[in-house]
Amino acid sequence: MHYYDGTFGGMHLIWWFIWLAFIIWIFFIPTDIPYQRTKEEKPLDILKKRFAKGEISKEEFEESKKLINSDN
């Protein structure tokens, strides 16, 4: 006794929905995933990092900070 009547029993339709959801997920993936996309750093953040690494002195940091803040 065969139950196959030429249709896919709805499974074909389910797979289309699964593939469609997968493709939509790929193109509309959330942008806040860590390390997925690099965010643009602000000048003050870069200055703070340089000061923390010891690349610039405290006087240079303060002077640059004043310049950055005066532009805003």
Side-chain angles (χ1 to χ4, degrees):
M1 187 183 250
H2 297 285
Y3 293 105
Y4 181 71
D5 60 356
T7 64
F8 289 98
M11 195 61 189
H12 184 69
L13 187 60
I14 291 172
W15 279 110
W16 273 108
F17 282 125
I18 290 173
W19 280 110
L20 184 65
F22 182 68
I23 290 171
I24 289 172
W25 179 73
I26 288 173
F27 288 107
F28 296 104
I29 191 166
T31 59
D32 61 343
I33 294 177
Y35 308 110
Q36 179 73 21
R37 296 182 180 151
T38 57
K39 67 175 188 175
E40 190 173 324
E41 289 184 300
K42 296 180 181 177
L44 190 58
D45 296 332
I46 296 169
L47 186 63
K48 287 178 182 178
K49 284 183 182 179
R50 290 188 63 200
F51 180 65
K53 289 180 183 179
E55 294 176 0
I56 58 175
S57 67
K58 184 175 181 179
E59 292 80 22
E60 290 174 317
F61 174 76
E62 293 296 331
E63 184 180 329
S64 298
K65 185 177 173 184
K66 286 179 187 176
L67 286 172
I68 290 171
N69 288 335
S70 68
D71 289 341
N72 293 334

